[in-house]
Amino acid sequence: VITFVKGIMYNSMRRQKMLSSILKKERTKRALSQEEVARAIWVSQPPYNYYESGTKVPSLAVIMSLADYFDVSIDYLVGRKDA
């Protein structure tokens, strides 16, 4: 049971890291500031910074907004598929 839980936690942390790196990649590819992306998805800049740094995980609603904004799939944002 402990090994199973550790595996789930590891995968969750790995996906969180992937999400944060993909967010930064997509933002910088478009030469946007964190403030610009945050404003576009209706959050303030500090929470967006947390998402991009991997400190916090965005809600599903925010992930959907980010996918729409960057015109990518949710699967891509969370590291399940390549762009």
Side-chain angles (χ1 to χ4, degrees):
V1 173
I2 292 173
T3 303
F4 176 73
V5 171
K6 282 184 180 178
I8 290 172
M9 289 175 62
Y10 172 77
N11 283 334
S12 176
M13 290 175 8
R14 196 178 96 229
R15 291 218 187 275
Q16 186 173 345
K17 276 288 207 196
M18 290 195 78
L19 172 64
S20 64
S21 66
I22 291 168
L23 288 176
K24 185 170 186 175
K25 175 182 154 188
E26 292 299 321
R27 179 181 61 78
T28 57
K29 181 168 75 173
R30 293 166 174 79
L32 297 167
S33 69
Q34 287 186 348
E35 181 68 35
E36 290 171 310
V37 176
R39 205 172 319 130
I41 63 165
W42 297 92
V43 299
S44 60
Q45 190 272 333
Y48 181 80
N49 180 49
Y50 297 146
Y51 307 149
E52 201 172 283
S53 68
T55 306
K56 292 189 178 181
V57 178
S59 67
L60 179 57
V62 171
I63 292 173
M64 291 170 63
S65 294
L66 287 162
D68 289 344
Y69 181 70
F70 288 129
D71 194 27
V72 297
S73 71
I74 292 171
D75 279 342
Y76 167 68
L77 278 185
V78 298
R80 292 175 54 108
K81 284 187 177 179
D82 292 336

